[in-house]
Amino acid sequence: MIREEAIKIPFQYAAGTAGSEFLINLRDHRQLTGSRCSDCERTLAPARAYCPDCGREGLHSVNIGPGAELVSWTIVPDKGVFALVRPDGADTAMLHKLLGPIDDPQPGIRLQVVFREERSGHINDIEGFAIVQENGE
Amino acid sequence: MRTIRIAGVGETGPVQQDRRSIPEMVLGAVDLALADAQIGHGEIDSVVTASVDLFDGLTASNIAVTEVVGAVMKPEARIAGDGLAATVHGACQIWAHAYDTVLVVAHAKTSMAANGKLTQWAMDPIHLQPLGVNFSAAAGLQANVLAQHDRHAEKRWARLSCERRAAGTSGMAKKLSQSEILASEITTSPLRNGMCAPLGDGACAVVLQAGSNAGGPVLSGVGHDLEAHGLGDRNLVHWAGLTRAFDRACRVANLPPADARFDLAEPSCFYPHEEELFLRATGIDGGTVISPDGGLMAGCVPVVAGMSRLVAAFKWLRQTGNAGKRALVHGHWGPAGQAQAVAIVDGGL
Ligand SMILES: [Zn+2]
């Protein structure tokens, strides 16, 4: 015999200090935020409370983007295109969506963050990253 | 340091769907391992289990198997990750002189729920879960980094998947030609359906015992390592965590990492690009036999994965003519191989 069930339990996930700052800046300022580590002298994207390499806490926040560079992508049928993008001013990449139409993406192509009109302090306040057309559109 | 004998192994599956309950399926593997080791439950000092709550649809998933692994009134520890990491902890208990005989058990039933949905909940809950990204997408992003400057990658991966599927005996993997794999549907580009290890149900049990190598294969080195969770924080071209885990295992086994020779390698590869990452991280070359039974690409149970490779290596070393040979066993867990585990197994006298 098989019993069927669907687990559906509401959760509340705390974003933490750096995560909250990142989300608030998306919502209120259409701004991407990174964190600067003075030990390894890297700017991490997105913002975080500690450096994953050094373990250093108390990183200071810096504006990154809105331009970005494509690092990697994967096309997932029915879900769209996930991408690793490195915002300008950052040394690491963040994961989000690549907005279409996408003919032949290449590593290093220029992107621009696209924000939603309706924002609530959520990672999906970013609609995704769009390819910057060569004619500057 | 004490010698750790692999006294017995037992495995159910991989099968597409095991209709038994989880405790019954686990009991099947434990009974086989105890019979192989010619011991009873009473001779087990300690148990280490590997399972993942969300996969089982059950919080504290080890509670359900406490009785069948013989852990009532005994110490039990649980690893929420690959079974090879549980083996690492079982070995450390013996090396610490805490216990003499340790039973290590791993299980998962992917037939219970959509695995791609479950692995989404292993991702960062603020930045990644809401996007819908999961382990498959993470594998696609890593494979894409490797394929960007390698025009032949997809053809090579299709050929490797074809070979591994053909070598399988579990019936889990449909035999597909290289061109059929290249024509199969995209799952997470550049990966295609024919390149993905078919997922199923199974349990695996191994008895580790302080002793000598007179009685068969011994566990001579173990190591494990974790990388940063964020894919963008890592250099996805390399499994740096695997190199560190491998170096640690070699040090425990008194082998020079740069010059260690292995007769057999049993990597945990859910996708063909992962075999290339494994070879690069460990320096394994053409002189080593790799996954003669097809490995995970011929049929795979997550969580059990690395332990099933340990069982495969153990059985190979027990074959006539393979005594005294050396095997490298690998397991990994998390998005794009975030967590890595390695075991070095030497054949008995
Ligand atoms: Zn740092």
Side-chain angles (χ1 to χ4, degrees):
Chain A
M1 297 298 293
I2 301 281
R3 182 179 80 91
E4 291 197 14
E5 181 64 275
I7 300 173
K8 193 171 182 185
I9 306 169
F11 273 85
Q12 297 200 338
Y13 296 100
T17 48
S20 296
E21 186 182 351
F22 179 82
L23 297 176
I24 289 166
N25 285 338
L26 295 183
R27 183 187 66 192
D28 298 348
H29 306 293
R30 296 173 182 247
Q31 175 66 55
L32 296 176
T33 311
S35 298
R36 181 77 182 165
C37 174
S38 55
D39 280 3
C40 63
E41 298 188 321
R42 292 186 310 158
T43 298
L44 307 159
R48 60 198 82 188
Y50 50 87
C51 176
D53 275 16
C54 314
R56 186 186 175 86
E57 296 177 46
L59 312 183
H60 68 266
S61 300
V62 290
N63 290 340
I64 53 173
E69 183 187 278
L70 183 61
V71 176
S72 187
W73 63 93
T74 183
I75 302 162
V76 187
D78 303 328
K79 280 192 176 180
V81 184
F82 293 113
L84 282 168
V85 303
R86 187 170 24 247
D88 292 347
D91 295 294
T92 69
M94 56 183 280
L95 207 164
H96 213 286
K97 290 270 184 96
L98 191 60
L99 302 176
I102 303 132
D103 295 330
D104 183 25
Q106 295 294 325
I109 59 166
R110 294 295 302 160
L111 307 170
Q112 179 91 13
V113 64
V114 178
F115 291 100
R116 290 184 199 279
E117 284 306 313
E118 297 285 320
R119 295 181 307 281
S120 60
H122 190 278
I123 190 66
N124 286 332
D125 288 357
I126 301 171
E127 191 177 341
F129 288 77
I131 294 171
V132 177
Q133 301 302 320
E134 279 179 16
N135 60 14
E137 280 173 22
Chain B
M1 204 163 73
R2 300 173 101 188
T3 297
I4 299 178
R5 195 165 78 86
I6 300 175
V9 300
E11 191 171 24
T12 74
V15 294
Q16 205 152 25
Q17 184 175 22
D18 192 321
R19 302 286 296 187
R20 289 177 290 182
S21 68
I22 287 173
E24 285 171 343
M25 183 180 77
V26 170
L27 183 61
V30 171
D31 282 347
L32 288 170
L34 293 180
D36 192 30
Q38 296 181 301
I39 61 170
H41 267 305
E43 287 159 86
I44 301 291
D45 299 320
S46 165
V47 182
V48 185
T49 61
S51 58
V52 172
D53 291 356
L54 207 54
F55 284 16
D56 288 9
L58 191 70
T59 300
S61 50
N62 52 327
I63 297 298
V65 299
T66 305
E67 285 136 39
V68 294
V69 299
V72 175
M73 297 171 71
K74 278 185 191 158
E76 188 244 6
R78 201 275 294 246
I79 300 285
D82 187 81
L84 200 61
T87 310
V88 170
H89 287 268
C92 290
Q93 291 185 349
I94 294 175
W95 280 324
H97 291 259
Y99 305 111
D100 294 329
T101 304
V102 178
L103 174 67
V104 188
V105 185
H107 77 264
K109 283 181 75 171
T110 58
S111 67
M112 288 174 68
N115 198 253
K117 271 272 175 207
L118 297 178
T119 60
Q120 181 182 339
W121 303 104
M123 308 298 286
D124 174 278
I126 303 300
H127 299 285
L128 301 175
Q129 272 179 21
L131 300 176
V133 66
N134 59 14
F135 286 9
S136 303
L141 288 165
Q142 182 160 43
N144 182 275
V145 169
L146 297 171
Q148 280 169 10
H149 303 290
D150 183 351
R151 286 189 305 120
H152 305 293
E154 288 174 50
K155 279 186 184 164
R156 203 171 58 241
W157 296 343
R159 191 172 61 240
L160 184 61
S161 303
C162 166
E163 289 169 11
R164 296 287 176 252
R165 281 173 172 266
T169 54
S170 67
M172 285 277 298
K174 193 177 168 199
K175 316 290 182 207
L176 296 171
S177 69
Q178 183 183 13
S179 53
E180 283 173 325
I181 290 168
L182 285 170
S184 63
E185 64 186 31
I186 292 273
T187 49
T188 52
S189 72
L191 300 173
R192 293 172 181 274
N193 198 30
M195 296 176 186
C196 303
L199 303 183
D201 298 352
C204 194
V206 170
V207 178
L208 303 178
Q209 201 162 39
S212 75
N213 63 353
V218 298
L219 201 57
S220 40
V222 296
H224 68 144
D225 192 276
L226 268 87
E227 292 201 63
H229 179 64
L231 270 64
D233 292 347
R234 300 185 228 159
N235 178 3
L236 294 176
V237 175
H238 297 287
W239 266 351
L242 175 55
T243 299
R244 290 188 295 266
F246 175 71
D247 287 355
R248 284 187 195 115
C250 286
R251 278 203 302 275
V252 174
N254 277 319
L255 296 171
D259 205 27
R261 311 297 304 170
F262 296 92
D263 302 291
L264 172 74
E266 284 290 354
S268 279
C269 305
F270 294 75
Y271 310 95
H273 71 280
E274 295 188 340
E275 187 165 315
E276 296 182 352
L277 287 165
F278 168 84
L279 297 176
R280 204 177 295 173
T282 58
I284 297 278
D285 58 23
T288 302
V289 176
I290 299 170
S291 301
D293 70 351
L296 299 187
M297 281 187 269
C300 166
V301 182
V303 183
V304 176
M307 262 188 91
S308 80
R309 299 300 86 218
L310 179 65
V311 171
F314 175 80
K315 288 178 175 171
W316 188 85
L317 288 167
R318 266 207 305 206
Q319 283 170 18
T320 315
N322 287 345
K325 291 188 176 175
R326 175 174 292 150
L328 178 66
V329 179
H330 165 238
H332 73 82
W333 174 250
Q338 185 190 352
Q340 300 279 350
V342 158
I344 296 169
V345 186
D346 278 297
L349 298 175

